[in-house]
Amino acid sequence: MPSSPSPTVFVVDDDAAIRKAVLRLLRSAGIAAAAFASPTEFLAQYDPNTPGCLMLDLEMPGFNGLQLQTALAEKGSSLPIIFLTGHGDVSKSVQAMKGGAFDFLTKPVNAKNLLPAIRAAIERDAVARGEQAKFSEIHARLDTLTPREREVLQHVVAGKMNKQIAGDLGITEATVKMHRARVMAKMKVQSVAELARLTERCGIRGTNSLKSAA
Amino acid sequence: MSWITVVWSINVGACLTLAAFYCAVWCKQRENWVHLLFSCSAVAAAAISAFELGMLNAQTVEQYQALVRWIHLPTWVLTVSFVGFVRLYLRAGRRWLAWSIYGLRTLVLIFNFISPVSVNFRTITDIRHFSWNGEMVSMPVGLPNPWGLISSFSLLLLLIFSVDATITVWRRGDRRRALLVGGSMIFGAILAWHVPLVIWSIIEVPFFLGFTYTAVVAAMGYELSSDMARGARLARELELSDKRLNLAAASADFGLWEWDLSKDEIWVTPTRRAQLGFPVSGKITSDDLISRWHPDDRDKVRQALRNAIENGKDYDAEFRRVLADGSVRWVASRGRVQVNKQGEPIRLLGISMDITARKQAELEAARQRHDLAHLARVNALGELSSSLAHELTHPITAILSNAQAAQRFLDADNVDLNEVREILKDIVTEDQRAGEVIHRLRRLLRKGEPQKHSDDIDLNEVIRDVLRLMRSDLINQNVTVDTDLAQNLPPVSGDRVQLQQVLLNLVLNACEALADCDSSERQLLIASKSETSTVQVSVTDRGRGIPGGKPEQVFDRFFTTKKEGMGLGLSICRTIINAHQGEIWATNNSDRGATFHFSLPIVRSDALSAASSKVLDGSALTATDASAPRVAAPSVLLGPGANGSGEEEPAVSASERLARKEAVITD
């Protein structure tokens, strides 16, 4: 696996003094951070591969926090967002939470609340990114399978015997065995149970009902 | 003693008495030359009578010759002064006739002294005595002088002149005077004809030329007595009318005053005099009067007075007076300058009224306006309260994060003191920022003093202040504000907080007008520009505009288009702007939205009109018109420095001081 960059907190706030102070606080906690004066500035420089979280001011002139949240969602980013607001405006917080905000804090924010929230967000991002990485790996292995091997895989995870599979696919049992061994090798698994767990995560279901339904 | 001596002497006495009287009258009223002329003619008539008496009693030819020669001198004086008197007193008589008489009479005088004896007699050979009405009188025996005809001719002209003058007076409608004065002088002019008749021996009577004028003297004596009677009646009427006037003035609490500029003496109606604590009689100088004015108002009133005197304008001032009992009363004083023929101001006449009640009502109204404005301001700030709190949240957030960062740095093993120092510096800065927010707020929330104006308000600064205050609110409402502020905007005079309030209201209003718009269209433009005598500020929105096509209505009290509005905001804006001598109006934009404008007069450093000095407790002076007559006003006008210094300031130094003061102010 390639070494991913260290987690970074992206601070987006139009108030320079707040940016500076928050960066200091994060540095004191040993958390890497980068600050941006506006959502547009952030979007221009943001690298989705960098893990971490977004600490976003809700009220900003022009392009505001909620709009940035929407823009990131459209890009498929799963970067956790901690909103900061000076108002505690109910309708806006509801909108933010519906948009999948990780947390919602009011200014002035205490380090006791902020730092745990940020650590939790970074943690979640790391977990999410780990999941994402595994998911990609499994997909990569699946991509190496031939269409026939994929068919055999679907029948295997459905818990069918070689004989049944051979019958269903109209091939010999020996051929099924050969395909099956190749699938196990390509998917780098030792047991059928392991194979089933992997494929389930990718949403591949067994096709035991294929014939009976027909 | 013969009766002739007695009668002629009485005539001399009568003429001299009247002459002395008129001379005394003339001495009192030098401008009235008619009295002097009459006095001269009466003296001349007396002299003629005296000469005649001498002639009637003459014992020798030489004696008679001398008298008949020199009698022409008083005759000339009589004729000349009489003709002058008629022209001046009756304002009648033809000028050419008068000059002809002067010429002929002078000619007669010249011939008289050229002739060996007189213009009347070529020679006098003897004196004969004859009895006339029981008295012996002397008459000359000799040859008449033919040049004497000139004298007769002048007598004829005099008669014509008298008749003509009398007719003029009669036609003018002054019949009593025509009959009395005109009649007596015609009578006299006819009687004077006895002289040539006697000389030519046509009749035999003693000369009584002196008496021909007696009729005029008698008529004038009568005129004089009736003048005196009329004067006494007028004086009585004047006294009555004076009493009535004083009563009227006292009951209406009016004071009448008159200031004699040359003598620096002031007369005021008795009631006012008593109120001000002046003794019943005695001179009041402008210094005395100024000492009764409220010290804070003295310069202002001095300036108004000087403006009136120097520029010939009407004087109009409102100021406070401290009465003898220590109470302070507001007074409105108005006056007008009187000038002499040379156009120099000689006195100021005027009235003063007690306007304390009105002033108190005005002050009360101003206080209520002030209170209302304050309430409205508190209300408007209430609308902004959450965004104002937000404005405070920013620095506090920064402070908290900084402080907690510093705590953590200090807990670490290797303390970076530079870092901590930086943090503390930032904390101080942010604290100041929060302080400014609070300070701005407090300034707006404070009630302040009514009518506390400053003269150096930069409206651009007011605009920036309000935008700073509303920053969060504008962000919150997604409104973007563009400004187009003129550089070097001239200062205006007024209450800074109230002007901020006007702008705050206009911006809040504009934001509300934009509430229904798409967020990309929520734009405001605030512009300032300077016109010739005003500074104008406008707030333009792209909202729905003013409904109903009556933009003026929006300034009416309780007019509102909002569900929750009280309709006070814009009406208070108008009240405030009006109190600043400004104007406020609204227009719908041609495409969309509305623009609210207000304009305020520029503070002029070079000139202050009398009107504006009423409003602003002005310290600047009125620039004087160079063509207007300039006089050295009494030094008392020129500032407290001249007060009680005990020495009269020369006029030159006074105008220098004035020039200096003006120079300071125009700077």
Side-chain angles (χ1 to χ4, degrees):
Chain A
M1 270 178 68
S3 69
S4 58
S6 62
T8 305
V9 178
F10 303 103
V11 179
V12 181
D13 198 310
D14 61 321
D15 192 294
I18 292 183
R19 288 199 301 273
K20 195 172 170 189
V22 168
L23 284 189
R24 266 193 194 122
L25 182 65
L26 295 176
R27 188 147 46 83
S28 75
I31 301 168
F36 305 89
S38 72
T40 4
E41 194 184 314
F42 168 72
L43 279 179
Q45 294 176 28
Y46 172 58
D47 173 13
N49 288 324
T50 315
C53 70
L54 179 58
M55 192 177 141
L56 182 56
D57 185 23
L58 190 61
E59 299 94 6
M60 276 179 290
F63 200 93
N64 65 28
L66 288 175
Q67 285 167 306
L68 177 59
Q69 186 185 30
T70 317
L72 284 176
E74 278 167 6
K75 284 189 165 196
S77 161
S78 62
L79 193 65
I81 300 176
I82 299 172
F83 274 104
L84 265 105
T85 172
H87 280 285
D89 182 317
V90 175
S91 68
K92 277 183 182 165
S93 28
V94 168
Q95 204 184 331
M97 294 313 275
K98 274 187 178 167
F102 179 78
D103 208 342
F104 201 89
L105 300 173
T106 49
K107 290 179 188 173
V109 63
N110 198 311
K112 276 183 203 155
N113 303 326
L114 180 66
L115 294 177
I118 281 178
R119 286 205 181 93
I122 290 173
E123 177 61 33
R124 198 185 82 172
D125 187 51
V127 172
R129 278 176 197 276
E131 292 287 314
Q132 185 68 39
K134 278 184 191 158
F135 187 73
S136 306
E137 173 67 22
I138 295 163
H139 264 285
R141 287 180 203 167
L142 281 173
D143 285 348
T144 60
L145 302 182
T146 63
R148 179 57 91 190
E149 284 165 0
R150 227 180 149 87
E151 273 181 314
V152 171
L153 170 76
Q154 280 172 328
H155 284 87
V156 170
V157 295
K160 288 188 181 162
M161 308 300 290
N162 287 349
K163 205 174 189 173
Q164 278 178 293
I165 299 170
D168 283 350
L169 297 177
I171 52 174
T172 63
E173 203 176 333
T175 314
V176 171
K177 269 187 184 169
M178 189 188 69
H179 282 308
R180 188 176 178 141
R182 231 178 262 152
V183 166
M184 298 292 273
K186 278 184 180 172
M187 294 304 286
K188 296 178 183 164
V189 290
Q190 306 300 322
S191 64
V192 174
E194 206 179 335
L195 183 68
R197 209 174 59 241
L198 272 190
T199 51
E200 197 186 347
R201 198 177 280 169
C202 299
I204 295 172
R205 295 258 175 265
T207 52
N208 52 350
S209 58
L210 200 75
K211 207 68 182 182
S212 51
Chain B
M1 199 184 279
S2 75
W3 68 265
I4 286 184
T5 308
V6 172
V7 170
W8 261 253
S9 301
I10 287 173
N11 192 39
V12 170
C15 287
L16 281 180
T17 307
L18 217 61
F21 201 88
Y22 270 90
C23 189
V25 172
W26 175 75
C27 286
K28 299 255 178 195
Q29 300 176 5
R30 294 287 174 97
E31 68 273 22
N32 212 346
W33 291 99
V34 70
H35 294 140
L36 183 66
L37 281 174
F38 184 78
S39 186
C40 284
S41 63
V43 168
I48 290 168
S49 273
F51 271 92
E52 282 172 349
L53 189 60
M55 281 154 69
L56 291 172
N57 292 315
Q59 298 304 316
T60 63
V61 171
E62 290 73 29
Q63 217 179 356
Y64 204 100
Q65 279 181 338
L67 287 168
V68 88
R69 189 180 175 94
W70 285 99
I71 198 172
H72 281 278
L73 200 61
T75 310
W76 182 85
V77 173
L78 174 66
T79 315
V80 168
S81 52
F82 172 71
V83 170
F85 165 76
V86 169
R87 285 193 43 85
L88 269 181
Y89 183 68
L90 297 180
R91 294 192 310 286
R94 286 166 210 272
R95 183 189 286 264
W96 67 268
L97 270 175
W99 281 109
S100 304
I101 293 165
Y102 291 159
L104 278 176
R105 215 53 238 183
T106 309
L107 212 59
V108 167
L109 198 65
I110 292 166
F111 280 121
N112 181 61
F113 286 102
I114 293 172
S115 301
V117 179
S118 88
V119 78
N120 303 106
F121 292 96
R122 204 186 301 163
T123 53
I124 296 175
T125 49
D126 196 9
I127 290 176
R128 66 190 173 87
H129 302 277
F130 75 100
S131 165
W132 194 67
N133 288 324
E135 292 287 344
M136 290 304 286
V137 292
S138 305
M139 288 297 285
V141 179
L143 287 174
N145 194 339
W147 290 111
L149 287 171
I150 307 173
S151 174
S152 306
F153 188 54
S154 80
L155 270 183
L156 183 66
L157 285 186
L158 194 66
L159 183 60
I160 295 168
F161 175 80
S162 302
V163 171
D164 172 62
T166 307
I167 291 171
T168 309
V169 175
W170 179 272
R171 285 206 182 134
R172 205 190 285 146
D174 196 353
R175 301 197 168 178
R176 192 189 61 81
R177 192 174 279 189
L179 280 176
L180 200 71
V181 183
S184 64
M185 67 193 193
I186 292 170
F187 179 67
I190 291 169
L191 279 188
W193 276 92
H194 78 278
V195 175
L197 295 178
V198 170
I199 289 169
W200 291 94
S201 302
I202 297 166
I203 55 168
E204 195 162 72
V205 288
F207 291 116
F208 57 96
L209 190 64
F211 286 91
T212 62
Y213 200 62
T214 309
V216 178
V217 168
M220 283 310 296
Y222 179 77
E223 280 286 288
L224 193 67
S225 63
S226 51
D227 274 354
M228 281 165 66
R230 197 165 59 239
R233 199 179 64 239
L234 281 177
R236 242 188 348 268
E237 281 173 5
L238 194 65
E239 196 187 334
L240 260 178
S241 114
D242 204 35
K243 273 185 186 156
R244 274 188 227 119
L245 193 66
N246 284 344
L247 178 68
S251 51
D253 214 357
F254 263 55
L256 303 176
W257 54 266
E258 189 180 328
W259 180 16
D260 188 320
L261 293 174
S262 57
K263 293 187 200 154
D264 188 20
E265 186 168 355
I266 293 167
W267 167 88
V268 290
T269 34
T271 320
R272 189 67 91 223
R273 205 179 160 106
Q275 281 177 349
L276 291 170
F278 291 117
V280 179
S281 62
K283 182 175 170 174
I284 304 174
T285 65
S286 46
D287 262 337
D288 299 332
L289 195 66
I290 287 172
S291 69
R292 305 307 203 263
W293 297 345
H294 195 283
D296 294 351
D297 293 349
R298 285 178 194 167
D299 283 347
K300 186 178 70 176
V301 186
R302 273 199 197 98
Q303 184 199 323
L305 279 170
R306 185 172 33 200
N307 190 29
I309 294 169
E310 285 177 1
N311 302 340
K313 289 181 180 158
D314 282 356
Y315 159 72
D316 188 351
E318 291 184 359
F319 54 93
R320 283 162 291 173
R321 205 133 70 174
V322 183
L323 298 189
D325 59 5
S327 62
V328 175
R329 306 290 292 177
W330 272 96
V331 171
S333 192
R334 286 182 195 131
R336 186 161 288 178
V337 179
Q338 285 193 332
V339 294
N340 60 11
K341 282 174 192 158
Q342 286 78 46
E344 291 160 355
I346 47 169
R347 74 170 66 82
L348 214 60
L349 287 171
I351 60 163
S352 61
M353 287 161 277
D354 191 294
I355 52 160
T356 308
R358 194 194 86 198
K359 212 71 194 176
Q360 274 168 352
E362 275 176 15
L363 288 176
E364 176 62 20
R367 202 184 56 73
Q368 283 180 358
R369 200 165 54 225
H370 189 75
D371 286 356
L372 187 63
H374 176 246
L375 273 178
R377 204 155 62 232
V378 172
N379 189 44
L381 287 173
E383 283 179 39
L384 285 178
S385 61
S386 68
S387 30
L388 288 172
H390 192 199
E391 211 42 27
L392 272 179
T393 303
H394 280 269
I396 289 172
T397 304
I399 289 170
L400 182 61
S401 297
N402 271 322
Q404 288 181 326
Q407 281 175 337
R408 299 178 76 93
F409 282 129
L410 288 173
D411 288 344
D413 293 337
N414 297 322
V415 179
D416 182 351
L417 282 178
N418 278 336
E419 175 84 59
V420 175
R421 207 168 283 130
E422 278 292 306
I423 289 175
L424 289 175
K425 207 178 90 188
D426 283 358
I427 288 178
V428 171
T429 311
E430 287 310 294
D431 196 271
Q432 282 167 345
R433 182 176 153 201
E436 273 166 31
V437 173
I438 292 170
H439 187 62
R440 257 202 304 277
L441 252 182
R442 190 180 288 153
R443 252 196 328 239
L444 268 173
L445 284 171
R446 197 169 40 201
K447 204 159 171 186
E449 290 280 310
Q451 294 177 324
K452 195 96 182 179
H453 283 197
S454 49
D455 281 343
D456 56 345
I457 295 179
D458 177 5
L459 281 178
N460 283 346
E461 197 46 50
V462 171
I463 294 170
R464 282 191 279 264
D465 255 3
V466 166
L467 288 182
R468 245 174 255 144
L469 193 73
M470 298 190 66
R471 204 187 71 99
S472 283
D473 195 62
L474 292 168
I475 289 172
N476 220 22
Q477 302 197 45
N478 253 320
V479 174
T480 49
V481 178
D482 291 317
T483 52
D484 177 15
L485 306 182
Q487 291 198 328
N488 301 325
L489 210 58
V492 299
S493 161
D495 183 320
R496 196 182 305 272
V497 171
Q498 291 197 350
L499 293 178
Q500 283 184 358
Q501 178 178 3
V502 169
L503 207 68
L504 181 74
N505 264 324
L506 293 185
V507 175
L508 276 175
N509 232 51
C511 286
E512 278 174 51
L514 292 172
D516 297 341
C517 297
D518 204 65
S519 58
S520 63
E521 286 176 330
R522 292 186 193 167
Q523 288 167 348
L524 280 187
L525 174 68
I526 301 179
S528 66
K529 61 178 173 179
S530 67
E531 306 270 307
T532 38
S533 60
T534 57
V535 177
Q536 196 175 310
V537 173
S538 59
V539 178
T540 305
D541 66 57
R542 316 275 303 153
R544 53 184 183 268
I546 302 160
K550 274 191 186 170
E552 274 316 298
Q553 256 188 346
V554 295
F555 297 106
D556 290 347
R557 195 159 287 189
F558 307 120
F559 175 89
T560 180
T561 56
K562 303 171 217 157
K563 280 178 209 133
E564 289 154 16
M566 291 238 298
L568 279 178
L570 287 175
S571 104
I572 282 165
C573 285
R574 185 173 61 178
T575 312
I576 291 174
I577 293 295
N578 286 351
H580 282 76
Q581 318 299 313
E583 280 180 69
I584 186 165
W585 69 99
T587 49
N588 271 324
N589 300 334
S590 55
D591 45 356
R592 59 183 293 189
T595 302
F596 285 77
H597 319 255
F598 68 85
S599 67
L600 293 171
I602 293 171
V603 178
R604 298 194 68 105
S605 51
D606 53 340
L608 258 183
S609 70
S612 63
S613 66
K614 249 198 239 172
V615 193
L616 314 164
D617 290 348
S619 50
L621 289 176
T622 310
T624 50
D625 182 2
S627 64
R630 262 173 175 270
V631 289
S635 59
V636 69
L637 272 182
L638 295 165
N643 267 352
S645 60
E647 49 192 46
E648 283 292 319
E649 295 255 343
V652 178
S653 135
S655 60
E656 268 175 12
R657 288 180 56 177
L658 185 65
R660 229 182 298 144
K661 196 155 185 183
E662 277 172 350
V664 170
I665 280 150
T666 46
D667 269 351

